[in-house]
């Protein structure tokens, strides 16, 4: 397996090779594993000395990279979020524009590098042993996948490669990315407008439903009122029918009384005639 190489922290060692994916995002890089879990995040702050800070997945600052404006690209990497505890230095090789030498902090004379990055492949300087290699990179260099050997500090490898890859991203690619981000923002704004319109339509539809429900309630109230009126009319008809029946009963009673009166008068008349006959018979005697 070889001797473990620790530059930033020994907790970033694994006994097996590890594949990590670095993606350029707004103001930095996002590093994930093959399961799309976040491992590191690199945040950039543009200033006279452009700075980058590497954070672990919990948001703790691991190293800060400070760019020095010199003839050859030179980057100083410090422990944590401050620029006081130097860890290593990355500078462009005097022999090639595509090679970068890495000098650890204890390499004061910097006669020979400790590591070398040739393109996006990292070697130990005293051998041809590859300790990390980019196996895939998109055409615009915004995204790459790197395989890191066992027992190699992968936080160190990611820091180094994001420096080298950031240097090698052409200006036109950066401008193209900015245009893509602007277009993306426009799409997002349009989606937000559509979502807002959908909310307005939904509220309008809900209002229409409420209005329809109110109309149904009004119709139900009118129906109940009409039914009440019909019941009142039916009651009035029944009352009138009862009154008519009472009148008919009164007429019948009156007719019965008249008949009785007539019968009494007939009986009286018959009695009178009988008395007259008796008187005449008595007179003849």
């Amino acid at each position: 397996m070889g001797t473990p190489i620790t530059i930033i922290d020994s907790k970033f060692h694994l006994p097996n090779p590890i594949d990590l994916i670095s993606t350029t995002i707004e103001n930095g890089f996002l590093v994930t594993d093959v399961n799309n879990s976040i491992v590191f995040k690199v945040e950039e702050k543009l200033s006279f000395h452009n700075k980058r800070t590497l954070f672990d997945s919990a948001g703790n600052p691991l190293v800060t990279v400070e760019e020095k404006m010199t003839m050859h690209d030179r980057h100083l990497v410090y422990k944590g979020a401050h620029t006081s505890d130097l860890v290593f230095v990355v500078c462009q090789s005097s022999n090639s524009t595509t090679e970068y030498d890495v000098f650890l902090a204890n390499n004061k004379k910097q006669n020979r590098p400790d590591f070398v990055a040739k393109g996006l492949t990292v070697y130990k300087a005293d051998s041809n042993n590859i300790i990390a290699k980019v196996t895939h990179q998109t055409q615009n260099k915004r995204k790459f996948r790197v395989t890191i050997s066992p027992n190699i500090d992968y936080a160190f490898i990611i820091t180094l490669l994001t420096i080298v890859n950031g240097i090698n991203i052409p200006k036109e690619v950066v401008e193209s990315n900015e245009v893509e981000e602007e277009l993306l923002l426009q799409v997002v704004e349009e989606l937000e407008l559509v979502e807002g319109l959908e909310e307005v339509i939904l509220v309008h539809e809900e209002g229409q439903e409420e209005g329809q429900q109110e109309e149904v309630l009004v119709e139900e109230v009118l129906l109940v009122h009409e039914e009440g009126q019909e019941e009142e009319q039916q009651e009035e008809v029944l009352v009138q029918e009862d009154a008519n029946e009472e009148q008919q009963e009164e007429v019948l009673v009156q007719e019965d009384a008249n008949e009785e009166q007539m019968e009494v008068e007939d009986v009286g008349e018959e009695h009178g005639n009988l008395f007259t006959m008796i008187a005449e018979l008595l007179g003849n005697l």
Side-chain angles (χ1 to χ4, degrees), residues 18-122:
I18 179 175
D19 280 14
L20 296 177
I21 301 166
S22 175
T23 305
T24 303
I25 59 174
E26 185 178 3
N27 299 325
F29 300 85
L30 188 66
V31 182
T32 59
D33 61 17
V34 293
N35 296 318
N36 208 31
S37 298
I38 295 175
V39 181
F40 301 114
K41 184 177 182 182
V42 180
E43 292 185 358
E44 293 181 334
K45 291 184 179 180
L46 299 179
S47 61
F48 181 73
H49 296 298
N50 293 333
K51 291 183 179 180
R52 295 175 183 168
T53 302
L54 177 72
F55 297 88
D56 63 14
S57 59
N60 301 310
L62 299 174
V63 292
T64 297
V65 181
E66 184 178 58
E67 181 180 355
K68 293 292 185 181
M69 305 301 292
T70 61
M71 183 179 296
H72 298 286
D73 292 316
R74 188 177 180 86
H75 293 77
L76 307 181
V77 181
Y78 299 91
K79 192 79 169 178
H82 305 287
T83 55
S84 57
D85 187 4
L86 184 66
V87 181
F88 62 92
V89 179
V90 181
C91 60
Q92 190 177 49
S93 173
S94 58
N95 299 323
S96 173
T97 57
T98 60
E99 291 186 14
Y100 292 86
D101 296 331
V102 179
F103 301 95
L104 299 181
N106 58 8
N107 188 349
K108 303 296 184 183
K109 294 183 179 181
Q110 297 187 357
N111 292 328
R112 294 185 61 184
D114 298 285
F115 301 92
V116 176
K118 297 180 180 181
L120 292 177
T121 302
V122 183

Side-chain angles (χ1 to χ4, degrees), residues 117-135:
K118 297 180 180 181
L120 292 177
T121 302
V122 183
Y123 301 82
K124 285 190 67 175
D126 57 357
S127 69
N128 291 323
N129 293 335
I130 297 175
I131 62 174
K133 183 177 182 178
V134 171
T135 58

Side-chain angles (χ1 to χ4, degrees), residues 208-220:
Q208 285 184 326
E209 289 179 358
E210 291 178 355
Q212 292 174 352
Q213 291 176 353
E214 290 177 356
E215 290 178 358
V216 170
L217 290 174
V218 170
E219 290 178 356
E220 290 178 351

Side-chain angles (χ1 to χ4, degrees), residues 191-224:
L191 288 174
E192 290 177 349
L193 288 175
V194 170
E195 290 176 355
L197 181 60
E198 288 177 349
E199 291 180 357
V200 170
I201 293 173
L202 180 61
V203 170
H204 177 66
E205 290 177 349
E206 290 177 349
Q208 285 184 326
E209 289 179 358
E210 291 178 355
Q212 292 174 352
Q213 291 176 353
E214 290 177 356
E215 290 178 358
V216 170
L217 290 174
V218 170
E219 290 178 356
E220 290 178 351
V221 170
L222 291 174
L223 181 60
V224 170

